């Protein structure tokens, strides 16, 4: 059972560089989410998707972009990395039609911008 | 809009002692409630969930939680804590927002276990 897989696990970027955080799930979940986690701040929703071809902004979308071309994949792109984007990023998925369904999380990507 | 408050940032207990982590929510209808645990360097794992019915729900790893509508609370409990329970615990409320299911998380409570 792979569940939700995130790559890479760690990355160091220079200011102004760009990169894509990958997220894949094999549970046929329609909903997928990207969160960032900063110390003592819990999880902040960046973007979410309710199905292939549909995405929407969450609480903190500035500086990020997403796409959802397939049910399985939901990559997160940082175009111009800034120190404020240093964080741990989590991808999650769920059967979203039913709000009583829990989310399944990946192990996270730890990103440092220097 | 819904919200979740976890009033305790850190909780310290001795191994073998009982544990209660507090969670208060704000939501206009019957909420769907969750507790997740995050071990260091890991993603979040579901401990238990409440949908309806019995207000005392059992989860994995010996945890339980009680839903109290009158207090808007969903506190997590464990009768005897083990050192391996040291982790970050998150309470979440699931609700439909604008036609989409967007869970709201509390800020988390860090559990420290002394031997």
């Amino acid at each position: 059972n792979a569940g939700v897989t995130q790559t890479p696990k760690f990355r160091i970027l220079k200011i102004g560089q760009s990169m894509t955080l990958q997220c894949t799930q094999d549970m046929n979940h329609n909903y997928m989410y990207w969160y960032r986690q900063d110390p003592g701040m819990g999880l902040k929703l960046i973007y979410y998707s309710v199905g292939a071809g549909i995405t929407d902004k969450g609480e903190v979308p500035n500086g990020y972009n997403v796409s959802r071309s397939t049910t399985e994949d939901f990559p997160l792109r940082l175009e111009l990395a800034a120190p404020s984007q240093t964080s741990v990023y989590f991808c999650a998925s769920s059967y979203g039609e039913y709000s009583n369904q829990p989310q399944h999380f990946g192990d996270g990507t730890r990103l440092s911008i220097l | 809009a819904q919200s979740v408050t976890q009033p305790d940032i850190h909780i310290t207990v001795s191994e073998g002692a009982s544990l209660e982590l507090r969670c208060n929510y704000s939501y206009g209808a019957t909420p769907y409630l969750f507790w997740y645990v995050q071990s260091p360097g890991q993603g979040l794992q579901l401990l238990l969930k409440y949908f309806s019915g019995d207000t005392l729900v059992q989860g994995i790893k010996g945890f339980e939680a009680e839903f109290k509508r009158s207090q808007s609370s969903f506190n997590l409990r464990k009768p005897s804590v083990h050192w391996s329970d040291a982790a970050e615990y998150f309470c979440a409320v699931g609700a439909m927002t604008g036609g989409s299911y967007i869970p709201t998380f509390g800020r988390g409570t860090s559990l420290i276990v002394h031997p």
Side-chain angles (χ1 to χ4, degrees):
Chain A
N1 282 348
V4 177
T5 302
Q6 292 184 238
T7 57
K9 294 188 182 303
F10 304 94
R11 185 72 183 268
I12 298 174
L13 284 181
K14 294 182 179 179
I15 296 171
Q17 287 185 321
S18 62
M19 79 163 293
T20 299
L21 281 64
Q22 302 291 344
C23 176
T24 299
Q25 55 94 8
D26 62 358
M27 296 171 283
N28 201 34
H29 286 166
N30 54 341
Y31 276 50
M32 295 187 74
Y33 315 79
W34 273 106
Y35 294 91
R36 61 177 288 171
Q37 183 180 33
D38 301 300
M41 300 302 293
L43 295 172
K44 302 287 188 183
L45 182 65
I46 305 171
Y47 271 95
Y48 67 98
S49 169
V50 302
I54 307 171
T55 63
D56 208 345
K57 295 178 180 179
E59 185 180 358
V60 290
N62 291 344
Y64 307 95
N65 280 299
V66 294
S67 60
R68 184 93 181 271
S69 58
T70 67
T71 299
E72 295 78 18
D73 301 309
F74 190 42
L76 176 72
R77 183 152 181 89
L78 284 69
E79 290 295 349
L80 290 171
S84 61
Q85 294 177 305
T86 293
S87 188
V88 181
Y89 292 84
F90 287 99
C91 179
S93 68
S94 72
Y95 285 117
E97 283 96 349
Y98 307 102
S99 57
N100 58 7
Q101 293 300 307
Q103 294 173 299
H104 297 255
F105 287 83
D107 286 339
T109 294
R110 286 146 187 82
L111 182 63
S112 294
I113 315 296
L114 304 177
Chain B
Q2 65 269 23
S3 66
V4 177
T5 301
Q6 293 181 246
D8 303 306
I9 297 175
H10 302 283
I11 291 282
T12 301
V13 299
S14 298
E15 191 170 15
S18 63
L19 170 70
E20 183 170 31
L21 301 182
R22 296 184 290 166
C23 172
N24 293 98
Y25 69 90
S26 173
Y27 183 57
T30 300
Y32 298 118
L33 296 161
F34 307 87
W35 274 101
Y36 292 86
V37 60
Q38 183 183 30
S39 299
Q42 303 293 316
L44 278 68
Q45 178 187 18
L46 180 71
L47 278 176
L48 48 76
K49 56 189 178 184
Y50 169 78
F51 302 155
S52 64
D54 194 348
T55 57
L56 184 64
V57 293
Q58 303 297 320
I60 62 171
K61 304 185 181 187
F63 285 91
E64 66 178 26
E66 186 171 12
F67 170 60
K68 293 185 177 180
R69 184 187 300 275
S70 61
Q71 297 178 19
S72 297
S73 70
F74 188 55
N75 294 349
L76 182 71
R77 301 194 294 245
K78 187 170 185 178
S80 178
V81 170
H82 188 263
W83 64 267
S84 61
D85 293 324
E88 190 88 13
Y89 291 82
F90 292 92
C91 181
V93 59
M96 298 301 289
T97 303
S100 298
Y101 166 44
I102 307 299
T104 299
F105 286 83
R107 288 193 172 189
T109 297
S110 178
L111 175 64
I112 301 165
V113 181
H114 282 314

